[in-house]
């Protein structure tokens, strides 16, 4: 994309500069103009002069934007003096060639002394060079800005990857310990159910260990959440009720990976889940936001928490979607609202 933009800038700038410096030649078309006193208007000479000027402009861009970087990369241009010297040599060479060729082809069209004709020709190409140096400087500034943006994106990508890995590590280790304890009891009481439990647990481990994209569709996130909720319901049985009410219309919306599992895991971690007082967790869409809501029934001895999970989740939303999550806590419930990003086939 950057090369395509640079090519357009070079093309349009060369055409514009060539047109500007050849405006006096166009003024010769007026027979009563002051410029016509020095030379006769000739369409063929104007076309030649315009094309030659454009060629010189293109060579200046090629020299400064492409040849110099290659020389630096190959170690052929370590001395700073080679850059202005190369531009001066190109200017002198093109001026000499243009003066000789145009002077011989259109000698009858000029009433100027040869020395003055050479000075005017050299001045015209020098003006081209000055105008192009300004454009070249702008292009180099754009290159530096794009390089900084690319570096920033790489750092941001590495940061988000680290955030995701940290989130995976912070997913409650006690959950796996409790799951293994539950599995131990199931093996003795219900081997068939234990086999299902192992299948869901293995899928959760696979989702955590596999390298995932930062943004995935809501459909994929719900599929990965399914095994997690199945384990919770096998473990707590009637002590937890998890309902997912997300219309297919929103399945192609995008959100950061592991967003839902973290929120459901936090709900199970910080609240009682008893058959007499079931923990109710709802996942639904409201006002174009994905909501995860649970009733509050705090455990007697709450587990220590630094709040890093929600903070990291909010940071990932802020960077990836340029939006932030909303956290609402009342005496009755805890609610987290997640903004969604449109994906393929998605809509609101």
């Amino acid at each position: 994309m950057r090369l395509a933009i640079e090519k357009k800038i070079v093309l349009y700038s060369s055409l514009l500069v060539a047109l500007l410096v050849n405006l006096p030649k166009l003024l010769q078309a007026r027979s009563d103009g002051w410029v016509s006193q020095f030379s006769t208007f000739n369409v063929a000479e104007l076309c030649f002069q315009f094309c030659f000027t454009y060629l010189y402009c293109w060579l200046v861009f090629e020299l400064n934007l492409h040849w110099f970087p290659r020389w630096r990369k190959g170690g052929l241009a370590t001395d700073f003096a080679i850059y202005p010297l190369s531009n001066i040599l190109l200017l002198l060479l093109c001026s000499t060639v243009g003066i000789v060729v145009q002077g011989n082809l259109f000698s009858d069209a000029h009433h100027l002394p040869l020395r003055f004709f050479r000075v005017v020709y050299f001045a015209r190409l020098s003006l081209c060079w000055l105008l192009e140096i300004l454009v070249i400087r702008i292009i180099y500034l754009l290159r530096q800005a794009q390089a900084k943006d690319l570096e920033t994106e790489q750092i941001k990508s590495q940061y988000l990857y680290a955030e995701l890995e940290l989130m995976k590590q912070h997913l409650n280790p006690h959950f796996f310990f409790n799951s293994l304890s539950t599995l131990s009891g199931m093996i003795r009481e219900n081997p068939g159910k234990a086999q299902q439990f192992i299948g869901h647990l293995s899928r959760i481990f696979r989702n955590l260990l596999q390298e995932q994209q930062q943004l995935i569709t809501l459909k994929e996130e719900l599929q990965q959440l399914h095994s997690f909720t199945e384990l919770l319901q096998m473990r707590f049985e009637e002590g937890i009720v998890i309902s997912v009410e997300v219309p297919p219309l929103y399945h192609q919306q995008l959100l950061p990976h592991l967003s839902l599992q973290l929120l459901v895991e936090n709900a199970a971690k910080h609240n009682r889940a008893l058959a007499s007082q079931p923990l109710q967790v709802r996942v639904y869409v409201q006002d174009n936001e994905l909501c995860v809501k649970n009733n509050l029934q705090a455990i007697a001895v709450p587990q220590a928490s630094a709040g890093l999970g929600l903070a990291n989740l909010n940071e990932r939303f802020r960077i990836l979607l340029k939006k932030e999550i909303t956290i609402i806590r009342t005496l009755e419930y805890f609610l987290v609202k997640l903004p969604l990003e449109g994906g393929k086939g998605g809509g609101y």
Side-chain angles (χ1 to χ4, degrees):
M1 182 63 70
R2 189 196 73 181
L3 292 177
I5 294 175
E6 283 191 8
K7 287 181 180 179
K8 290 181 180 179
I9 294 176
V10 169
L11 172 64
Y12 298 147
S13 299
S14 298
L15 290 173
L16 180 60
V17 171
L19 179 62
L20 287 176
V21 299
N22 285 290
L23 280 178
K25 197 69 177 175
L26 288 173
L27 295 178
Q28 294 176 2
R30 295 179 55 187
S31 58
D32 57 342
W34 65 273
V35 182
S36 60
Q37 302 175 14
F38 303 100
S39 60
T40 304
F41 179 73
N42 187 314
V43 175
E45 183 183 15
L46 174 63
C47 293
F48 172 84
Q49 186 169 299
F50 180 84
C51 293
F52 188 83
T53 306
Y54 174 81
L55 176 62
Y56 171 72
C57 294
W58 180 81
L59 288 174
V60 171
F61 279 121
E62 284 292 309
L63 176 66
N64 290 274
L65 294 177
H66 299 108
W67 296 347
F68 283 165
R70 292 173 187 165
W71 294 349
R72 284 197 298 266
K73 188 176 181 179
L76 301 177
T78 56
D79 189 356
F80 179 76
I82 193 173
Y83 305 122
L85 288 176
S86 299
N87 279 280
I88 292 173
L89 288 175
L90 180 63
L91 174 61
L92 293 175
L93 176 62
C94 290
S95 298
T96 302
V97 172
I99 290 170
V100 171
V101 174
Q102 186 169 337
N104 290 331
L105 290 177
F106 309 100
S107 57
D108 297 337
H110 295 282
H111 314 304
L112 294 172
L114 180 59
R115 180 178 299 178
F116 190 67
F117 172 71
R118 291 173 178 172
V119 170
V120 171
Y121 211 98
F122 180 79
R124 181 168 58 250
L125 294 189
S126 298
L127 179 60
C128 291
W129 181 82
L130 288 174
L131 294 174
E132 289 183 307
I133 287 299
L134 294 176
V135 178
I136 289 168
R137 179 57 182 166
I138 293 173
I139 292 177
Y140 271 110
L141 290 175
L142 291 175
R143 284 183 177 181
Q144 292 175 3
Q146 289 174 342
K148 290 181 179 179
D149 290 341
L150 179 60
E151 183 180 358
T152 301
E153 287 298 322
Q154 291 174 343
I155 294 174
K156 186 186 297 183
S157 177
Q158 293 173 357
Y159 172 77
L160 288 172
Y161 179 78
E163 287 279 315
L164 180 58
E165 292 303 311
L166 181 63
M167 183 174 292
K168 289 180 180 180
Q169 295 174 14
H170 278 182
L171 283 174
N172 191 3
H174 294 287
F175 166 77
F176 294 109
F177 175 78
N178 293 331
S179 296
L180 292 176
S181 300
T182 303
L183 177 61
S184 177
M186 283 185 182
I187 292 175
R188 294 191 300 268
E189 298 174 5
N190 191 336
K193 190 175 181 180
Q195 196 169 21
Q196 296 179 10
F197 193 92
I198 292 173
H200 290 303
L201 190 60
S202 65
R203 279 190 284 271
I204 291 175
F205 271 113
R206 184 167 59 250
N207 291 335
L208 290 178
L209 294 177
Q210 285 181 342
E211 184 175 349
Q212 300 280 348
Q213 294 181 343
Q214 293 291 343
L215 286 174
I216 66 174
T217 64
L218 179 53
K219 181 179 180 180
E220 294 171 323
E221 181 77 1
L222 292 174
Q223 289 173 345
Q224 296 182 13
L225 178 67
H226 175 71
S227 292
F228 187 79
T229 57
E230 286 293 319
L231 286 187
L232 289 178
Q233 290 177 330
M234 286 183 182
R235 175 185 164 196
F236 294 108
E237 297 181 342
E238 297 180 359
I240 189 169
V241 178
I242 302 175
S243 61
V244 178
E245 306 162 7
V246 179
L249 174 67
Y250 295 90
H251 281 183
Q252 295 304 313
Q253 305 298 309
L254 302 177
L255 75 167
H257 181 226
L258 290 178
S259 300
L260 294 179
Q261 184 170 326
L262 170 71
L263 297 177
V264 174
E265 193 270 346
N266 276 348
K269 174 182 175 182
H270 297 292
N271 294 277
R272 295 191 308 274
L274 305 174
S276 58
Q277 291 181 305
L279 173 64
Q280 298 180 2
V281 182
R282 287 185 61 209
V283 180
Y284 60 97
V285 176
Q286 184 180 48
D287 297 330
N288 300 326
E289 293 180 307
L290 183 64
C291 302
V292 181
K293 181 179 180 181
N294 65 271
N295 56 327
L296 285 178
Q297 38 193 38
I299 56 180
V301 183
Q303 299 184 35
S305 174
L308 291 177
L310 287 176
N312 290 345
L313 181 63
N314 184 64
E315 186 69 7
R316 293 175 65 215
F317 268 89
R318 188 182 65 82
I319 294 176
L320 290 171
L321 302 184
K322 305 297 186 293
K323 302 174 184 177
E324 296 192 7
I325 68 176
T326 302
I327 301 174
I328 301 174
R329 183 187 180 97
T330 69
L331 295 176
E332 291 80 23
Y333 63 85
F334 186 82
L335 171 63
V336 179
K337 296 182 178 180
L338 307 178
L340 298 173
E341 179 71 11
K344 295 179 180 179
Y348 295 113

